[in-house]
Amino acid sequence: MKRVSFVLTAILVCTPLLCSCTEAEISYPLSAYINHPIGDAITQYLSEQDAFTFPDESIEETLSEFGVEVVSKTTLRKRLGDEAEAVFGEYCTYLYVEREFTDEEGIPLLSPAVYVISTDEDRRFTASFSPEHPDGTRWNEYHATVYDILSWQYLPSDGGGYDCVALSNFAYARISCIEFFISSPGYIDSMQSDHIYTQFAPYFDDAISPRLQGVNVQNDLRLKKTTIIISGIEIGVVPLSRGRE
């Protein structure tokens, strides 16, 4: 006879440091992966949402200290012109912020950035993992739902308007872990824990500063996959879509 009991533990927020190279094997400094205050605030906001709650305008209050506002497609078209069309998708929340930088000649530049949170199935990825346990007396099952959060960063165009000069992202994952173990001969118990995991691509918040300083920064910085790690243990890899934005 099998006996199964479930215990829900508190949510654990994990933010690992990603220090690998991008797809073209360009190496970036550690600061490129860990300096993302707006990304951290988005992560905190999403972690406080129900798993099935779509981000709404309440996120604007959370991000107000960064000058971020929730905007519509119409507003983005007015501010970015034709560049806005590439940003749009289904079931999206669009976050907009303007930053001022100074170029090498001391001329101030206005740099808009758009953060896109979508729950559309093209931006949501699911996977399950069952790592092996050598003793056979306990084993885990992990079920992950991963969201691809995008950041589009712009600089003024020579012909007027703006050009997107950097596209980055971070993977936001909700993971449910069910741990099975033999509690006594003939009986199997289980415990469930829920985790939140994030993995950032380089320069998620600011690819403009290094570009203006002459750093070779790719236009497309996005992760192609996220490697999920819980309590220091690699659980599995979830591929992220490229080209379905």
Side-chain angles (χ1 to χ4, degrees), residues 3-101:
R3 180 182 63 205
V4 181
S5 62
F6 293 87
V7 177
L8 182 63
T9 68
I11 291 179
L12 173 65
V13 179
C14 307
T15 307
L17 304 185
L18 173 64
C19 302
S20 63
C21 300
T22 65
E23 64 179 74
E25 300 300 326
I26 295 178
S27 180
Y28 297 111
L30 180 61
S31 59
Y33 298 92
I34 63 176
N35 182 25
H36 36 67
I38 294 179
D40 291 339
I42 293 174
T43 297
Q44 182 61 36
Y45 172 82
L46 292 176
S47 71
E48 295 169 354
Q49 299 289 303
D50 182 87
F52 302 102
T53 298
F54 181 74
D56 55 30
E57 292 187 3
S58 64
I59 193 173
E60 192 166 20
E61 181 179 353
T62 301
L63 300 176
S64 60
E65 66 178 287
F66 302 103
V68 174
E69 58 180 315
V70 177
V71 297
S72 65
K73 290 183 178 180
T74 300
T75 298
L76 284 179
R77 287 190 179 101
K78 290 180 179 178
R79 297 180 180 180
L80 299 177
D82 293 340
E83 284 292 317
E85 299 303 319
V87 172
F88 299 146
E90 298 295 324
Y91 309 108
C92 291
T93 293
Y94 303 105
L95 309 173
Y96 180 88
V97 64
E98 292 182 347
R99 296 88 52 87
E100 189 173 284
F101 297 89

Side-chain angles (χ1 to χ4, degrees), residues 106-160:
I107 299 174
L109 298 174
L110 185 66
S111 171
V114 179
Y115 299 88
V116 183
I117 305 172
S118 174
T119 57
D120 182 65
E121 63 179 22
D122 278 358
R123 302 249 55 86
R124 183 179 70 245
F125 315 96
T126 58
S128 297
F129 306 99
S130 299
E132 295 183 0
H133 289 258
D135 62 6
T137 61
R138 66 175 59 230
W139 57 98
N140 295 345
E141 291 183 0
Y142 296 89
H143 304 281
T145 301
V146 183
Y147 299 89
D148 186 12
I149 314 299
L150 302 175
S151 70
W152 304 72
Q153 302 174 52
Y154 301 86
L155 280 174
S157 171
D158 292 338

Side-chain angles (χ1 to χ4, degrees), residues 35 99-104 111 153 155 165-166 203 205-215 217:
N35 182 25
R99 296 88 52 87
E100 189 173 284
F101 297 89
T102 303
D103 68 10
E104 58 185 8
S111 171
Q153 302 174 52
L155 280 174
V165 298
Y203 300 116
D205 271 359
D206 180 16
I208 305 301
S209 293
R211 274 186 171 276
L212 295 177
Q213 294 166 6
V215 177
V217 178

